[in-house]
Amino acid sequence: MTDKTAGGDVRLSGISKHYGTFTAVHPLDLTIPQGSFFALLGASGCGKTTTLRMIAGLEEPSTGTVHLGDRDVTDLQPYKRPVNTVFQSYALFPHLSIFENVAFGLRRRGVKSVKKQVDDMLELVQLGQFAQRKPHQLSGGQQQRVAVARALINHPQVLLLDEPLGALDLKLRRQMQLELKRIQTEVGITFVHVTHDQEEAMTMADTVAVMNGGRVEQLGAPAELYENPGTTFVANFLGTSNLIEATVETAGTGAAAGSGSEIVVSAAGSTLRLPAARCSTTPRTGGKLLVGVRPEKISLVHADEEDTIAAGRNKVPGRIAASSFIGVSTQYVIDSQVCPELEVYVQNIDRDARLAPGAEVILHWSPEHTFGLDADQDIDAGIETVEESV
Ligand SMILES: Nc1ncnc2c1ncn2[C@@H]1O[C@H](COP(=O)(O)OP(=O)(O)O)[C@@H](O)[C@H]1O
Ligand SMILES: [Mg+2]
């Protein structure tokens, strides 16, 4: 479907944007593989839209270049780039039918027989039966699909999506995430999707670039970012992490020694272990380390049942400060000497009625599920900036 000569990866080299003395995007190197679903994820104001607009040609970079495959498009006018954009406000033409909205790009290029292509495109976004309606006769999600069809009709090599689902309610947004993913798989072109919603990025993208303050902080597959965050910002921004300040007892032989090597730390009298391979910094015996574990990796037992915990598990004592039953799981907040507010999510299978606020408990988890971060950074980075999805 794409022009072979125009094919290839999107390559940003040293691209940056200054507004006066303010740097919206710091020099950035990024390769977005052809045909991938790529997400730029970050809090409001971190430079996502600016980055996207530089790819589109709507914003002139202060430094650096944009390549599409072998072609340097940095100085190319937006309309000459094989790129199209879908925005949050989809701005369909209100007086035109859905069919004519989608046909618009073809007609502007002087294409005479548009019917087959428009019908195919409406089929792709599953709106065939609404061809003759006007935009106001469709739901928000349907209108956004029209916007996607309209952007795809000219067969761009890259589709840029800037918070396209931001105006939709939560349930519709979830449906549209799956729908957009299906469309991308079907057309096979590169999608670059901007969002501040970490669940949305993880659901849809093959690769997520987490942005913070005009920089890409970490890049990887969703599961890789979630399981092995490299910074406190990523650990806190993507889901929830318990981060424990610990002192290194045995530094192991470092990540280079292979997967067998283990780091031993202590925190308020508890000894904890983690694989050296999951530590994103080189620990030093006697030095500090932030030890992380996700809430769903932790099990909880009443303090009376400590002897039921298998040997070799990481164990931390505490007291239940709060619990909330949310159906599939119960979410606990545990006060412990090791860490003030540990979060624990327990699946609702067999509930121990004694696990109520005030109860003395033992938290335990596998050392394998523990990661290590450089202690020389803000332990709360990424927490306040998470916007509630509405
Ligand atoms: N035209 C502009 N002039 C001055 N500052 C701008 C302009 N456009 C964006 N910015 C600033 O650059 C930063 C990044 O903006 P933007 O890329 O829109 O962030 P995001 O899309 O991640 O919310 C913000 O602090 C914003 O205020
Ligand atoms: Mg934006």
Side-chain angles (χ1 to χ4, degrees):
M1 161 174 256
T2 45
D3 175 1
K4 273 210 190 69
T5 57
D9 302 343
V10 177
R11 210 151 34 82
L12 310 182
S13 311
I15 202 161
S16 72
K17 183 68 191 182
H18 312 293
Y19 294 109
T21 56
F22 176 75
T23 305
V25 178
H26 292 271
L28 177 66
D29 295 309
L30 198 60
T31 298
I32 301 168
Q34 181 176 9
S36 66
F37 200 126
F38 192 94
L40 284 174
L41 169 69
S44 176
C46 73
K48 305 179 297 294
T49 294
T50 305
T51 304
L52 206 70
R53 288 173 60 85
M54 290 193 286
I55 299 174
L58 299 167
E59 203 74 70
E60 192 184 338
S62 306
T63 63
T65 58
V66 181
H67 279 77
L68 291 172
D70 295 333
R71 189 167 169 212
D72 186 341
V73 299
T74 315
D75 297 321
L76 214 57
Q77 292 295 318
Y79 65 92
K80 288 191 174 156
R81 300 187 186 199
V83 169
N84 215 336
T85 311
V86 177
F87 299 98
Q88 175 174 337
S89 56
Y90 15 90
L92 301 176
F93 302 115
H95 55 288
L96 294 182
S97 68
I98 299 313
F99 184 96
E100 285 304 325
N101 264 280
V102 175
F104 185 80
L106 293 176
R107 296 212 193 278
R108 199 176 48 178
R109 277 167 49 216
V111 177
K112 290 275 162 7
S113 55
V114 300
K115 175 120 181 44
K116 169 88 172 68
Q117 283 193 63
V118 174
D119 283 349
D120 285 353
M121 204 47 80
L122 286 173
E123 207 55 50
L124 175 74
V125 297
Q126 300 182 334
L127 290 174
Q129 72 271 40
F130 298 128
Q132 294 317 317
R133 288 203 189 173
K134 294 283 173 57
H136 74 269
Q137 294 170 310
L138 298 185
S139 73
Q142 289 166 337
Q143 290 185 46
Q144 193 54 293
R145 269 141 66 195
V146 177
V148 169
R150 191 176 60 171
L152 286 175
I153 194 91
N154 286 330
H155 300 315
Q157 184 185 331
V158 181
L159 188 68
L160 307 173
L161 303 115
D162 193 353
E163 312 243 10
L165 311 182
L168 307 180
D169 68 47
L170 185 61
K171 200 164 174 200
L172 194 51
R173 208 157 73 207
R174 294 275 171 263
Q175 284 172 13
M176 279 294 291
Q177 290 165 6
L178 301 175
E179 188 65 7
L180 277 178
K181 181 81 190 161
R182 178 191 64 77
I183 292 169
Q184 192 268 339
T185 309
E186 223 167 297
V187 297
I189 68 169
T190 313
F191 275 35
V192 186
H193 183 103
V194 158
T195 178
H196 66 268
D197 179 339
Q198 45 101 12
E199 263 184 50
E200 180 164 305
M202 289 203 281
T203 307
M204 301 173 81
D206 310 313
T207 307
V208 177
V210 183
M211 287 188 77
N212 181 20
R215 292 187 170 85
V216 170
E217 185 132 340
Q218 195 176 352
L219 178 117
E224 170 62 23
L225 289 179
Y226 185 81
E227 300 299 349
N228 289 311
T231 63
T232 54
F233 180 86
V234 176
N236 292 323
F237 193 76
L238 273 189
T240 299
S241 292
N242 294 299
L243 297 177
I244 298 165
E245 290 183 282
T247 304
V248 180
E249 300 293 333
T250 312
T253 34
S259 54
S261 178
E262 206 172 48
I263 298 165
V264 183
V265 302
S266 67
S270 293
T271 299
L272 305 171
R273 295 168 193 279
L274 66 148
R278 294 201 61 194
C279 194
S280 64
T281 179
T282 308
R284 206 170 31 77
T285 300
K288 296 282 176 210
L289 189 69
L290 290 176
V291 169
V293 58
R294 296 290 191 176
E296 74 279 9
K297 304 289 200 295
I298 303 177
S299 302
L300 202 58
V301 295
H302 193 271
D304 292 348
E305 298 189 9
E306 184 168 359
D307 56 1
T308 65
I309 301 170
R313 305 268 293 173
N314 283 334
K315 287 195 290 185
V316 164
R319 178 186 283 118
I320 297 179
S323 80
S324 44
F325 176 79
I326 61 156
V328 291
S329 66
T330 301
Q331 306 194 342
Y332 296 93
V333 178
I334 313 285
D335 269 334
S336 166
Q337 302 234 299
V338 167
C339 183
E341 288 187 331
L342 284 160
E343 295 216 34
V344 179
Y345 304 161
V346 179
Q347 255 197 298
N348 285 321
I349 302 170
D350 300 307
R351 301 184 68 217
D352 182 343
R354 293 176 301 169
L355 297 182
E360 299 289 338
V361 293
I362 310 286
L363 286 59
H364 61 100
W365 68 92
S366 166
E368 294 293 315
H369 291 149
T370 318
F371 55 88
L373 299 173
D374 188 348
D376 197 16
Q377 55 183 326
D378 178 9
I379 194 167
D380 292 327
I383 290 181
E384 319 82 82
T385 51
V386 176
E387 283 174 41
E388 255 325 298
S389 47
V390 183

